Amino acid sequence: MTTHKLLLLPGDGIGPEVFAEVEKVAAFLGQAGIVRFEMERGLVGGAAYDAHGQSISDADMQLAHEADAVLFGAVGGPKWDSVPYDVRPEAGLLRLRKDLELFANLRPAICYPALADASSLKREIVEDLDIMIVRELTGGVYFGEPKQIIDLGNGQKRGIDTQVYDTYEIERIGRVAFELARKRKNKVTSSEKRNVMKSGVLWNEVMTALHKREFADVQLDHQLADSLGMQLVRWPKQFDVIVTDNLFGDMLSDVASMLTGSLGMLPSASLGETNPKTGKRKAMYEPVHGSAPDIAGKGIANPIAMIGSLGMALRYSFNLASAADMIEKAIAGVLDKGLRTADIKGAATSTVSTVEMGDAIIAELRKGA
Ligand code: NAD
């Protein structure tokens, strides 16, 4: 059995609480002989700032570079609101994404039937929903230069952000989307605003050419980003994989996340380029939610997004799809039994704690192992 190197970065707030549960799941998988992990532990966010005045240390960054995957909890909280900008907790997350060149952000939006009533949309629209949003994460308007505020000297100022995409950036995110689609329902919807943006025209051209050249077996549709936003809430089940740029992906993935009910349910993956020599790619897995200071320390956080993030690591970094399926089945199993943390309580009469939810998922895993 191959040993996989995992760097654990629990972070702040509810990060360490949900992390304790995912570590129990990882230990179970090890004991059951399903996967063997070699784990290192580091500090990120406010916890790292308190320890050494940085949001992530160079030593921990080195561990991140050496790991096969990074498992990340959450960072931030009011305690660090007034620390200098470049060492604020979120800077640790941005440094990890930037230094590891994690250009592809994968956010699945899955609606478990047992939770369909927790969505703001009608049950029939979201029940059994399973879509994947692939967002370009390191380019586009968030990073393009010039990026500045100019004083025009006449009492006016001008704010400038620049949307820039090169062919290679569009091709590599496109490849991630098409390859994912081949393992799913074989359909990609590419989204931009080619009607008003030059970068959108290029995005559309490059995706079309890449599709023709390398992925003609996959169905490709193009949809303007505003229209796609509308379709996501009208009939989301028409989509399989959606690929889009950094800005539109930021917004559309948040819209998609709310289709599924709660932030506490949503895992994510951020992937880098595959190294042609080793066949491995840098990767970080984290829940979509933040450090939830309002409930931190109360033992009531939902650990499912964190545990689902380990499931994504098994699928996308370690090629262990059957183990990832086991985790998803175990999560569906506890939900079917009516177990709920407070955030997904719905009509349930009682709720379970973070630890009880983790234990229940392990009990389900044990049944399936
Ligand atoms: P948040 O995701 O932390 O919380 C939003 C709401 O969802 C809160 O009411 C919270 O209690 C609830 N919630 C989130 N996760 C939950 C879970 N697992 N179980 C139950 N309920 C859950 O977002 P926020 O309140 O906007 O931000 C709080 C802090 O987290 C800020 O410092 C922010 O900068 C940081 N943040 C970090 C990340 C990250 O680490 N990736 C992401 C978003 C926000």
Side-chain angles (χ1 to χ4, degrees):
M1 203 193 316
T2 323
T3 301
H4 301 289
K5 278 174 124 180
L6 210 50
L7 174 64
L8 309 179
L9 296 174
D12 311 317
I14 62 166
E17 297 172 38
V18 292
F19 226 88
E21 302 314 303
V22 80
E23 285 189 64
K24 286 185 343 200
V25 173
F28 167 80
L29 295 173
Q31 284 151 15
I34 294 167
V35 55
R36 195 162 49 213
F37 292 122
E38 185 186 310
M39 298 195 242
E40 296 271 8
R41 186 179 290 274
L43 295 174
V44 69
Y49 178 80
D50 288 349
H52 33 241
Q54 282 179 291
S55 50
I56 185 161
S57 68
D58 292 344
D60 284 346
M61 270 315 303
Q62 186 57 35
L63 290 177
H65 278 286
E66 288 162 10
D68 294 320
V70 177
L71 205 54
F72 181 101
V75 291
K79 182 180 172 196
W80 301 283
D81 275 352
S82 53
V83 304
Y85 185 76
D86 55 342
V87 289
R88 72 199 188 284
E90 291 76 10
L93 176 58
L94 296 181
R95 182 170 176 198
L96 281 158
R97 286 180 181 163
K98 185 165 172 282
D99 289 8
L100 300 179
E101 293 182 66
L102 305 175
F103 68 88
N105 186 224
L106 276 51
R107 276 173 63 165
I110 295 171
C111 184
Y112 294 95
L115 287 188
D117 293 325
S119 169
S120 51
L121 298 188
K122 293 190 196 101
R123 170 174 278 276
E124 63 269 26
I125 304 227
V126 293
E127 190 172 11
D128 286 322
L129 178 75
D130 179 2
I131 60 180
M132 177 71 83
I133 307 231
V134 179
R135 166 188 169 194
E136 202 289 326
L137 201 59
T138 52
V141 75
Y142 292 172
F143 296 98
E145 294 289 344
K147 186 177 199 63
Q148 59 191 149
I149 297 175
I150 302 172
D151 195 329
L152 298 177
N154 58 355
Q156 294 285 305
K157 289 182 180 178
R158 179 172 296 156
I160 303 173
D161 292 286
T162 309
Q163 166 90 338
V164 195
Y165 273 110
D166 290 353
T167 306
Y168 81 96
E169 292 175 286
I170 304 169
E171 282 182 344
R172 67 181 182 179
I173 193 76
R175 279 197 189 94
V176 170
F178 286 121
E179 278 161 12
L180 274 172
R182 276 185 176 154
K183 295 185 185 153
R184 297 169 48 95
K185 297 183 203 119
N186 217 32
K187 182 175 164 186
V188 169
T189 305
S190 169
S191 189
E192 28 58 23
K193 287 280 289 174
R194 64 188 175 282
N195 53 342
V196 285
M197 295 170 77
K198 286 292 177 196
S199 56
V201 173
L202 183 70
W203 183 282
N204 185 281
E205 275 175 21
V206 173
M207 279 296 169
T208 304
L210 175 70
H211 173 251
K212 197 171 163 202
R213 212 171 52 238
E214 298 177 30
F215 299 97
D217 56 303
V218 181
Q219 184 187 333
L220 171 66
D221 296 331
H222 298 279
Q223 207 162 98
L224 296 175
D226 49 343
S227 156
L228 191 135
M230 183 267 286
Q231 290 295 339
L232 260 182
V233 290
R234 193 185 73 84
W235 187 239
K237 287 189 231 174
Q238 67 184 285
F239 299 111
D240 178 22
V241 175
I242 293 170
V243 61
T244 189
D245 74 11
N246 203 343
L247 173 65
F248 297 138
D250 196 2
M251 291 190 277
L252 294 171
S253 61
D254 264 27
V255 172
S257 73
M258 279 322 292
L259 303 174
T260 67
S262 166
L263 269 176
M265 296 294 301
L266 294 166
S268 78
S270 300
L271 308 178
E273 203 90 72
T274 304
N275 179 330
K277 283 193 202 133
T278 61
K280 291 181 178 180
R281 70 193 322 160
K282 296 263 176 280
M284 184 159 78
Y285 299 88
E286 56 178 312
V288 168
H289 63 73
S291 58
D294 53 335
I295 58 164
K298 295 186 180 162
I300 59 169
N302 186 347
I304 290 179
M306 189 74 245
I307 292 171
S309 300
L310 176 65
M312 289 189 84
L314 296 171
R315 194 181 298 284
Y316 297 115
S317 280
F318 308 142
N319 212 10
L320 289 167
S322 58
D325 289 344
M326 264 179 77
I327 289 186
E328 277 169 24
K329 225 173 118 205
I331 292 171
V334 296
L335 295 174
D336 283 345
K337 283 194 177 136
L339 288 172
R340 301 282 187 271
T341 42
D343 57 312
I344 50 171
K345 184 167 180 283
T349 47
S350 64
T351 58
V352 295
S353 68
T354 310
V355 173
E356 285 165 335
M357 182 57 96
D359 289 344
I361 290 171
I362 293 195
E364 282 292 311
L365 281 170
R366 202 162 269 134
K367 278 201 292 180

